[in-house]
Amino acid sequence: MEALALERKAEQNRELRERLLQLKKERNAIILAHYYQRDEIQEVADFRGDSFLLAQKAAQTDADVIVFCGVHFMGESAKILAPNKTVIIPDERAGCPMADMVNVDGLRKLKAQHPNATVVTYINSSAEIKAETDICCTSANAVRVVNSVESDEIIWVPDKNLGHYVQQNTDKKMIIWEGYCNTHDMLTVKDVEEMKAKYPNAEFVVHPECRPEVVALGDFVGSTTAIIKYCKESDKKEFIVGTEDGTGYQLRLDSPDKTFHFASKYLVCPNMKVNNLKKLVKALETMQPQIYVPNDVADKARLSLERMLLVK
């Protein structure tokens, strides 16, 4: 029975992939997939990457339609940087709990309390929050961005774990918002120590969205893209991975001769995983759900993204 079900699924996926190719041509569409997406989506994407790299791709492409397989704020970033393109996502329920942990009123209050502070916002945030921001950053360039601003005082939103990591690498005073990524924050020291005992020869690579005490155990700390690059170039053959399990697709693709153990079976973002191949095809057929960002919000948010692009 199981073999039959798998065969049926494979056949269905083949049909969906054929339909997708046809629709992409008809619509002049490009498919962008975040590294945390299901394998079946990463397989058909024109570009795979982290949220910022994909937003940049969105701005550079000559496609008319961008299908963003990620979460809502990523689609917004693409729309902000490519306002004349149609941006659709496979499932509008793909939100980000961390992005929802910061609100405009709260941020405005904090700005009023610290009028000399520069607001640095992690790209994992809504368009409205980016519009209240001086400069955005990613996990890859967070330290560089914070150190590039003139002010000695930084309001940092929304991820306290990444904020703590940046704080270790700057002399600036940081006022840190209390948000976090549900998925990365679940990883505990106990999880990592158990894995290290089980795989003593493996290196532990970890994302700075994890808790500070977990990050402190890392042999390498970096963004998703940095982790993938590090594992590819390393002469080590075995890794314990402290980030979302979708990353395994690219890790295994780049390094088929290496072994990757995810540090916990709970490193799965439910929001990233609501997208699937069927929904992706349907989104292109119906051209829904579309991402809209009001012009006034988009214009302000674009400034904070463009300032980040200037940081070398």
Side-chain angles (χ1 to χ4, degrees):
M1 277 302 285
E2 197 179 325
L4 192 66
L6 283 172
E7 206 174 300
R8 230 178 247 149
K9 171 95 174 129
E11 178 57 34
Q12 190 188 21
N13 279 358
R14 266 196 300 277
E15 286 167 14
L16 284 168
R17 282 198 290 268
E18 277 170 26
R19 178 79 180 117
L20 186 64
L21 285 173
Q22 184 191 345
L23 283 163
K24 268 173 59 180
K25 226 180 235 161
E26 284 171 21
R27 307 270 195 231
N28 187 24
I30 187 173
I31 295 166
L32 307 179
H34 192 275
Y35 286 133
Y36 298 170
Q37 292 291 298
R38 294 169 185 263
D39 289 6
E40 65 186 50
I41 284 197
Q42 295 199 51
E43 278 167 8
V44 297
D46 297 297
F47 290 102
R48 292 183 296 276
D50 57 21
S51 55
F52 180 60
L53 194 80
L54 293 175
Q56 275 185 301
K57 283 280 178 223
Q60 292 157 2
T61 177
D62 51 12
D64 298 317
V65 176
I66 295 165
V67 190
F68 209 121
C69 302
V71 292
H72 200 269
F73 76 79
M74 298 176 185
E76 283 185 339
S77 293
K79 185 68 180 169
I80 289 162
L81 291 172
N84 301 327
K85 297 184 188 302
T86 303
V87 179
I88 55 179
I89 55 175
D91 191 325
E92 59 194 355
R93 292 171 308 160
C96 171
M98 174 169 55
D100 297 339
M101 286 179 196
V102 55
N103 58 66
V104 170
D105 288 346
L107 181 52
R108 282 181 181 160
K109 273 188 195 129
L110 204 53
K111 283 162 74 168
Q113 287 163 12
H114 303 276
N116 299 323
T118 297
V119 181
V120 180
T121 295
Y122 189 25
I123 197 164
N124 297 27
S125 55
S126 69
E128 286 78 14
I129 293 296
K130 288 183 177 79
E132 291 289 328
T133 294
D134 295 304
I135 187 167
C136 279
C137 73
T138 65
S139 50
N141 66 16
V143 173
R144 283 205 307 279
V145 166
V146 165
N147 287 327
S148 78
V149 303
E150 283 180 13
S151 163
D152 293 328
E153 202 175 20
I154 304 290
I155 291 172
W156 170 273
V157 292
D159 182 5
K160 64 179 179 181
N161 292 335
L162 182 58
H164 182 275
Y165 173 74
V166 173
Q167 206 166 25
Q168 310 303 300
N169 295 283
T170 186
D171 298 328
K172 296 183 188 290
K173 181 186 179 222
M174 290 181 64
I175 300 129
I176 296 176
W177 192 272
E178 278 293 306
Y180 56 89
C181 163
N182 291 27
T183 302
H184 285 96
D185 196 64
M186 261 187 213
L187 189 60
T188 64
V189 167
K190 185 170 173 277
D191 293 330
V192 177
E193 284 174 345
E194 282 173 5
M195 291 299 277
K196 284 189 165 203
K198 201 169 169 185
Y199 305 107
N201 299 323
E203 270 195 344
F204 177 46
V205 293
V206 63
H207 196 289
E209 280 181 31
C210 291
R211 298 174 186 190
E213 63 271 25
V214 171
V215 172
L217 300 173
D219 297 300
F220 176 80
V221 183
S223 66
T224 311
T225 303
I227 286 173
I228 290 167
K229 183 173 187 283
Y230 176 81
C231 292
K232 185 181 179 179
E233 292 171 0
S234 170
D235 45 18
K236 283 273 191 292
K237 291 289 181 214
E238 193 177 13
F239 300 89
I240 296 162
V241 183
T243 189
E244 211 274 348
D245 85 335
T247 313
Y249 178 83
Q250 190 69 45
L251 286 168
R252 290 186 288 269
L253 199 66
D254 286 351
S255 310
D257 57 327
K258 295 178 184 179
T259 309
F260 300 97
H261 313 284
F262 278 80
S264 157
K265 66 172 190 274
Y266 300 114
L267 284 167
V268 179
C269 171
N271 290 277
M272 284 285 188
K273 301 297 196 258
V274 298
N275 296 324
N276 61 32
L277 197 52
K278 213 172 185 171
K279 289 177 188 173
L280 168 55
V281 171
K282 190 173 181 225
L284 259 180
E285 279 177 343
T286 60
M287 295 296 284
Q288 295 293 335
Q290 278 192 41
I291 297 275
Y292 298 101
V293 181
N295 287 341
D296 55 331
V297 173
D299 290 345
K300 286 183 190 161
R302 192 175 301 115
L303 282 175
S304 66
L305 286 167
E306 284 171 351
R307 285 186 192 119
M308 166 176 76
L309 290 177
L310 296 173
V311 176
K312 291 289 174 273

